[in-house]
Amino acid sequence: MDYYIIIPAHNEEAFLEGALQSILDQKLLPKKVVLVNDNSTDKTELIMDKFIEKNPFFTKLNTTSSTEHMPGSKVINAFNKGLALLDDQYDFIVKLDADILLPDIYFEKIASIFKNNENAGVVGGFIYEKNKKGKWELNHTMNKDHVRGAFKAYSKKCFKAIGGLKNAMGWDTVDELLAQYHGFSIITIDDLRVKHLRPIGVAYNKKAKLLQGKAMYTMRYGYLITLIASLKMAMKQGKTNAFFDNMSGYKKAEKEKALFLVTREEGQYIRNLRWKGIKKQLF
């Protein structure tokens, strides 16, 4: 199967070479890889150029955006600029972060899932990070039927159906909710262990703390589901402030009448899906 990869990168000199080498080491190589140099001021571009010389399927796009590392908007803005360079001659498309290491069978297995399951919409493995003892351990704070935003693969049909990726915080949740709305499955593969070199959220700007609550508002969760989801998130993270930040973000978005990411009909489906998940955990 043919697949494209888009990698947004902002000041990733510490990790990018390893990530790109892990792509070169794949048993099933990509058709194209677009490297989006998003306003980097370090050696990110030099590393990109090095890999472009190694293999013609790598290509580079230089773009300028905010230097603030805000979740959602910055990375998807860069992703969409890279997407504009690609045609539709692919079976699945991949959004990758620049700070991960993939096992060499990663895309071979992803392709097999898409090839043998026409309903597969979003497919991926699991994130592993080093603990304080230097051992790689699973870091998956959400349900196991969720593919992390660092390595999301979409079938072409699914990607088109959901209208691509939303340029906002919550893009890597709303994509899966909309995929299910359109009848596609979310599939995770236990033995695809992706090494994540930078702990989740370390580089995020402090302004980002209210964006999770805003995302819940724009996905039309409603107040009660947002309350339950925020409590669950705070408990899993062991951070009481996460609950209050989420609720403040939700109320702020509601007051400002932030634009919704989904239609009323999609929002109703999302709420029903969320209530179904909540009831399943309770009973």
Side-chain angles (χ1 to χ4, degrees):
M1 300 187 82
D2 290 330
Y3 68 98
Y4 294 155
I5 300 175
I6 302 173
I7 305 179
H10 171 71
N11 288 346
E12 295 285 2
E13 66 175 4
F15 310 114
L16 183 60
E17 186 162 1
L20 298 186
Q21 187 59 51
S22 74
I23 292 173
L24 273 182
D25 292 341
Q26 291 297 304
K27 293 184 181 298
L28 178 65
L29 291 170
K31 186 177 179 181
K32 293 181 182 179
V33 180
V34 180
L35 307 172
V36 184
N37 177 31
D38 187 11
N39 207 30
S40 296
T41 55
D42 61 1
K43 295 179 181 178
T44 292
E45 186 176 5
L46 293 177
I47 295 170
M48 289 179 174
D49 291 340
K50 174 182 173 181
F51 279 85
I52 290 169
E53 290 177 3
K54 283 185 177 183
N55 199 298
F57 63 60
F58 286 110
T59 187
K60 178 184 68 179
L61 172 65
N62 286 322
T63 185
T64 301
S65 69
S66 168
T67 56
E68 291 184 330
H69 196 97
M70 297 292 283
S73 58
K74 181 177 174 63
V75 67
I76 299 305
N77 181 54
F79 173 89
N80 285 334
K81 289 181 179 180
L83 180 65
L85 300 182
L86 298 171
D87 56 35
D88 286 341
Q89 303 305 307
Y90 64 89
D91 295 298
F92 64 94
I93 192 163
V94 183
K95 181 266 174 196
L96 278 187
D97 281 359
D99 58 355
I100 60 175
L101 299 177
L102 302 165
D104 61 5
I105 59 169
Y106 191 84
F107 289 116
E108 183 179 58
K109 286 208 170 187
I110 296 291
S112 178
I113 295 293
F114 282 126
K115 186 174 182 179
N116 296 306
N117 186 343
E118 63 179 17
N119 289 325
V122 186
V123 182
F126 288 97
I127 275 185
Y128 281 72
E129 293 180 349
K130 277 189 177 180
N131 60 23
K132 293 180 180 180
K133 297 180 179 179
K135 182 181 179 181
W136 292 99
E137 63 181 9
L138 178 67
N139 182 356
H140 198 84
T141 57
M142 300 183 71
N143 297 330
K144 279 207 166 185
D145 57 356
H146 170 67
V147 179
R148 296 293 281 267
F151 44 83
K152 305 202 83 160
Y154 307 83
S155 70
K156 182 165 70 173
K157 285 184 179 180
C158 177
F159 191 75
K160 298 290 185 181
I162 67 176
L165 306 185
K166 307 297 184 184
N167 192 347
M169 176 68 167
W171 69 268
D172 60 338
T173 297
V174 74
D175 61 343
E176 295 182 2
L177 295 171
L178 290 178
Q180 292 172 86
Y181 173 79
H182 287 285
F184 294 97
S185 301
I186 314 302
I187 299 176
T188 54
I189 308 171
D190 285 334
D191 60 349
L192 286 186
R193 301 184 175 190
V194 180
K195 293 180 178 179
H196 191 232
L197 304 176
R198 180 196 290 117
I200 300 288
V202 165
Y204 286 162
N205 188 288
K206 290 182 180 179
K207 296 177 184 177
K209 66 181 183 178
L210 300 183
L211 293 184
Q212 187 68 52
K214 179 181 179 180
M216 292 178 181
Y217 173 81
T218 59
M219 286 187 278
R220 297 183 185 266
Y221 274 23
Y223 188 83
L224 188 54
I225 291 178
T226 299
L227 182 74
I228 295 170
S230 299
L231 279 171
K232 180 181 175 182
M233 182 181 298
M235 290 173 66
K236 280 195 172 184
Q237 294 178 354
K239 297 178 181 178
T240 305
N241 287 344
F243 169 77
F244 295 105
D245 288 341
N246 278 9
M247 299 312 298
S248 295
Y250 181 93
K251 291 178 181 178
K252 185 173 185 291
E254 184 178 41
K255 182 179 179 180
E256 295 175 351
K257 297 182 178 179
L259 295 176
F260 292 110
L261 293 178
V262 298
T263 66
R264 287 183 180 274
E265 185 179 1
E266 291 167 342
Q268 184 62 56
Y269 175 85
I270 287 169
R271 288 192 297 277
N272 289 342
L273 196 66
R274 283 295 186 230
W275 278 122
K276 184 178 179 181
I278 291 169
K279 291 175 182 176
K280 185 178 179 181
Q281 290 179 13
L282 290 177
F283 301 105

